[in-house]
């Protein structure tokens, strides 16, 4: 196995999908005219009242490069820093910022390592679904809490772990086949590959389902209190007819 973080970084440097297409000028002009609308998960926007709870407008976009959320925050008057391990994703934020005359600070860094920021630096950390690409969440939640101001907000989107119990090839690529339970939770593609049970397609990279205990208690035990959450679903995923496949949480630093 190669270094899984490096493989996932390479994947995001080269892949083209919904999360790598920067917003156009016309789309940002529409953002200017309407209340802030950003997504932590597929299928639902973040409630506006979550942002109304913030004490300030200094936001860290954690692992959300790509020229989408960062420019939206900047257009709406936020002091924006985007941290991502993918240079090409950050270049998209830089491109949109230059094109639109916006100020966005981009930082290439890995959220499995210490964050390159001072203590109590941000009012909001905004983390759309991305921790599915890291094996251990301990550092991510410790560091997110450290760099948040007291009373700061952590907004996180993640996959509902139950979806990883099913054979993804059948779920996505074989719609006429019966859905089949295959894996136990937590799903760990690195361990499964080492055991010879799966092979990793570089187009998708290594993924890790994590448990709800790891996701939620990981925040709570680091001085954060959950004050809201919601679920959503990706209607393209046929598992979503049986339950929501995404969860978003809002925590406040005590």
């Amino acid at each position: 196995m190669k270094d899984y973080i490096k493989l996932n970084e390479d994947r995001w440097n080269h892949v083209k999908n919904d999360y790598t297409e920067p917003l156009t000028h016309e789309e940002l002009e529409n953002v200017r005219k309407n209340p802030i609308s950003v997504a932590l998960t597929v299928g639902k926007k973040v409630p506006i009242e979550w942002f109304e709870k913030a004490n300030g407008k200094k936001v860290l976009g954690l692992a959300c490069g790509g020229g989408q959320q960062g420019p939206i925050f900047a257009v709406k008057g936020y002091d924006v820093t985007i941290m991502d391990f993918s240079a090409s994703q950050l270049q998209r934020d830089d491109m949109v910022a230059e094109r639109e005359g916006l100020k966005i600070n981009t930082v290439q860094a890995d959220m499995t390592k210490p964050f390159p920021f001072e203590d109590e630096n941000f009012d909001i950390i905004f983390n759309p679904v991305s921790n599915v690409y890291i094996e251990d969440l301990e550092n991510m939640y410790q560091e997110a809490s450290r760099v948040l101001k007291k009373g700061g907000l952590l907004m996180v989107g993640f996959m509902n772990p139950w979806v990883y119990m099913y054979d993804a090839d059948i779920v996505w690529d074989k719609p006429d086949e019966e859905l089949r339970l295959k894996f136990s939770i937590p799903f760990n593609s690195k361990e499964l590959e080492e055991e010879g049970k799966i092979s990793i397609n570089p187009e998708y990279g290594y993924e890790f389902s994590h448990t709800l205990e790891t996701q939620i208690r990981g925040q709570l035990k680091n001085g954060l209190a959950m004050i809201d959450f919601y679920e959503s679903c990706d209607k393209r995923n046929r598992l979503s007819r049986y339950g929501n496949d995404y969860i978003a949480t809002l925590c406040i630093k005590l």
Side-chain angles (χ1 to χ4, degrees):
M1 184 201 70
K2 297 179 181 178
D3 175 4
Y4 86 89
I5 290 285
K6 184 63 170 68
L7 187 145
N8 283 347
E9 177 187 341
D10 289 343
R11 182 253 179 170
W12 281 103
N13 279 335
H14 297 100
V15 72
K16 291 185 179 180
N17 59 29
D18 293 344
Y19 309 105
T20 64
E21 190 64 35
L23 294 180
T24 65
H25 173 74
E26 291 73 23
E27 288 169 329
L28 279 174
E29 284 301 299
N30 190 55
V31 168
R32 295 180 193 275
K33 302 171 187 174
N34 294 286
I36 189 167
S37 178
V38 287
L40 287 166
T41 63
V42 177
K44 189 179 292 187
K45 298 295 187 179
V46 178
I48 293 174
E49 56 263 31
W50 282 22
F51 296 102
E52 294 172 345
K53 297 179 187 296
N55 293 326
K57 302 195 79 169
K58 189 171 185 181
V59 61
L60 170 62
L62 180 58
C64 67
Q68 298 180 6
Q69 292 98 337
I72 290 174
F73 281 117
V75 162
K76 302 311 286 186
Y78 286 80
D79 179 349
V80 183
T81 297
I82 300 294
M83 173 179 146
D84 202 297
F85 68 178
S86 167
S88 67
Q89 285 288 85
L90 293 172
Q91 287 167 4
R92 291 174 172 87
D93 287 289
D94 290 333
M95 181 274 290
V96 175
E98 182 176 358
R99 187 192 72 202
E100 303 293 332
L102 302 171
K103 184 178 179 181
I104 299 176
N105 179 38
T106 55
V107 177
Q108 186 175 8
D110 175 359
M111 62 182 172
T112 67
K113 298 177 181 177
F115 293 4
F117 309 111
E118 295 179 357
D119 294 356
E120 299 189 7
N121 199 20
F122 297 98
D123 300 298
I124 300 170
I125 296 178
F126 188 82
N127 175 225
V129 176
S130 61
N131 68 31
V132 68
Y133 296 108
I134 60 175
E135 184 176 18
D136 187 346
L137 302 187
E138 185 73 20
N139 180 80
M140 171 191 161
Y141 285 136
Q142 283 182 351
E143 286 294 282
S145 179
R146 179 184 67 79
V147 303
L148 265 180
K149 297 176 184 177
K150 284 196 167 129
L153 302 175
L154 174 62
M155 305 180 186
V156 181
F158 54 90
M159 297 295 298
N160 201 327
W162 72 272
V163 301
Y164 281 93
M165 296 170 66
Y166 291 85
D167 187 325
D169 291 336
I170 292 177
V171 170
W172 291 99
D173 302 327
K174 301 174 182 178
D176 296 327
E177 286 197 28
E178 185 177 356
L179 295 168
R180 181 161 60 91
L181 283 169
K182 186 174 182 180
F183 302 107
S184 60
I185 293 174
F187 176 88
N188 183 314
S189 62
K190 183 166 71 71
E191 291 181 356
L192 289 168
E193 182 191 48
E194 290 168 351
E195 294 167 3
K197 295 179 178 177
I198 63 172
S199 59
I200 300 301
N201 184 338
E203 183 180 349
Y204 298 101
Y206 290 88
E207 295 189 23
F208 309 89
S209 73
H210 307 297
T211 62
L212 291 178
E213 180 178 351
T214 299
Q215 292 281 15
I216 295 173
R217 186 169 181 267
Q219 299 179 64
L220 303 183
K221 72 179 185 178
N222 281 293
L224 300 159
M226 188 178 298
I227 56 175
D228 204 354
F229 85 102
Y230 62 85
E231 298 175 292
S232 68
C233 66
D234 181 352
K235 294 187 182 301
R236 298 169 299 180
N237 182 347
R238 63 183 175 132
L239 291 175
S240 67
R241 71 185 72 163
Y242 305 107
N244 290 309
D245 44 354
Y246 290 95
I247 296 172
T249 58
L250 174 64
C251 286
I252 187 168
K253 182 175 176 179
L254 300 174

